[in-house]
Amino acid sequence: MVLFLTIIIRYFSSKSTICCDRAFKNEDDTLYQAQVNKVDYILSKLYLKEGMSLLDIGCGWGFLLIEAAKKYKVKGTGITLSREQYKEFKSRIQKEHLEDYLTVELMDYRDLPKWGKCFDRVVSVGMLEHVGRENYQLFNDCVNAVLKDKGLYLLHFISQLKEMETDSWMKKYIFPGGVIPSLREIVSSMGNDDFHILDIENLRRHYEKTLLYWADNFHNHLDKISEMFDEKFIRMWDLYLNACAANFHIGGIDLHQILVTKGVNNELPLTRWY
């Protein structure tokens, strides 16, 4: 995981970048444009209104919340376990003069129920894969504890058709402790928290394209990467990026977004507003 973050942060993009799935509106979209498209799409699904409160669980460098504050004037809070992300996001809030809109906390999602705060909207992008199969229900329970009645919750995660163990090579070299959930086990756990599903969308092909961009950027910076890592690492990471792209291409893994309401909400548009 440390190696993954090092490469992504230093060589694939700026510190604002997150995975650009559901992003490529045009064939010639850049990786950055895809990132902007993706965040816009997620925010539109959340049906934000000025003055609403938004929690981002696993907020990364804060790009999503910064966009939400600028475009929708919402009050956003991000939580992360990364001290580097916490410091950088806090700095960006100040640079963007968004102190009246945004805050960031160094916090574990498991501490949310005792936090004493509630939000109109909750979003989590690309974090569920890291909590472990035994904690999926706990994760949703923690969201339930901080989401207001009728509130919207968007969960974005890599998924697979069936419950399977992580590939042994990936588990050893790339994502120690990482697990890819199946769609059905996440949907099943949501019912226990009275989460009513509005929409499930598969964005698999966008992630394939993202990975191919990353692979190109990786090769374009091999001179710098070779100064940091040996040939074994370079070959391993090259295999990881391209093998994952291939796996998304053939449907071995998927990328899902699930949009739910806490309890019944009859105040939303009848059709998909986004």
Side-chain angles (χ1 to χ4, degrees):
M1 178 58 68
V2 173
L3 296 181
F4 174 80
L5 291 175
T6 299
I7 295 301
I8 294 298
I9 293 167
R10 286 179 177 253
Y11 298 119
F12 291 168
S13 55
S14 70
K15 283 185 176 180
S16 64
T17 295
I18 53 179
C19 301
C20 297
D21 17 284
R22 183 53 178 98
F24 295 95
K25 294 182 177 180
N26 306 294
E27 279 298 317
D28 57 351
D29 279 348
T30 65
L31 198 59
Y32 178 77
Q33 184 58 52
Q35 168 194 324
V36 174
N37 294 344
K38 171 191 177 176
V39 168
D40 283 346
Y41 189 59
I42 288 173
L43 296 179
S44 66
K45 280 190 173 186
L46 288 169
Y47 203 64
L48 297 169
K49 302 293 183 181
E50 183 174 347
M52 280 186 173
S53 54
L54 170 63
L55 172 67
D56 186 353
I57 302 175
C59 62
W61 307 104
F63 183 76
L64 184 148
L65 284 175
I66 289 173
E67 291 294 291
K70 286 181 176 180
K71 295 179 179 179
Y72 296 92
K73 299 293 190 294
V74 299
K75 302 284 187 177
T77 301
I79 67 169
T80 177
L81 288 177
S82 166
R83 295 186 181 277
E84 291 77 12
Q85 290 178 346
Y86 170 78
K87 292 177 183 177
E88 177 65 19
F89 188 12
K90 200 168 186 178
S91 174
R92 297 189 75 198
I93 291 171
Q94 295 172 347
K95 290 177 183 177
E96 298 280 357
H97 305 293
L98 293 171
E99 294 92 338
D100 292 337
Y101 291 95
L102 299 179
T103 58
V104 58
E105 303 286 344
L106 199 62
M107 179 187 291
D108 192 303
Y109 77 89
R110 290 169 290 190
D111 293 327
L112 288 173
K114 58 186 179 184
W115 196 20
K117 295 186 178 182
C118 285
F119 298 84
D120 298 297
R121 304 288 189 263
V122 175
V123 64
S124 184
V125 180
M127 181 182 156
L128 188 67
E129 303 90 324
H130 306 284
V131 306
R133 176 157 281 123
E134 68 280 5
N135 292 319
Y136 296 152
Q137 186 64 63
L138 174 62
F139 186 85
N140 281 326
D141 290 348
C142 290
V143 172
N144 184 39
V146 295
L147 182 61
K148 295 179 182 179
D149 289 341
K150 298 185 180 181
L152 271 66
Y153 162 38
L154 187 145
L155 180 63
H156 173 118
F157 63 102
I158 296 172
S159 61
Q160 56 187 349
L161 287 175
K162 301 177 181 179
E163 300 76 37
M164 295 183 290
E165 291 297 318
T166 304
D167 175 82
S168 58
W169 185 84
M170 289 281 288
K171 184 184 293 186
K172 181 175 181 179
Y173 294 108
I174 308 298
F175 287 115
V179 180
I180 298 177
S182 70
L183 176 62
R184 63 186 176 189
E185 62 186 327
I186 302 306
V187 169
S188 176
S189 71
M190 286 181 159
N192 296 324
D193 288 301
D194 197 27
F195 289 156
H196 292 244
I197 294 174
L198 299 178
D199 186 61
I200 300 176
E201 187 172 8
N202 190 336
L203 307 170
R204 169 180 60 84
R205 295 177 64 193
H206 292 270
Y207 213 146
E208 175 196 354
K209 196 171 179 66
T210 298
L211 281 155
L212 292 175
Y213 262 104
W214 284 350
D216 286 342
N217 288 344
F218 182 79
H219 281 277
N220 290 338
H221 293 89
L222 279 179
D223 55 337
K224 296 180 181 179
I225 296 171
S226 61
E227 295 174 2
M228 300 173 61
F229 302 104
D230 59 18
E231 180 65 22
K232 179 181 178 181
F233 171 84
I234 291 173
R235 293 177 63 189
M236 175 182 69
W237 211 257
D238 193 26
L239 173 62
Y240 158 67
L241 292 171
N242 286 285
C244 283
N247 208 4
F248 276 105
H249 182 76
I250 65 172
I253 45 179
D254 293 305
L255 189 288
H256 278 102
Q257 285 183 356
I258 305 178
L259 181 66
V260 308
T261 61
K262 179 176 177 179
V264 174
N265 186 335
N266 292 330
E267 300 167 8
L268 298 170
L270 286 173
T271 59
R272 290 183 175 91
W273 53 91
Y274 43 87

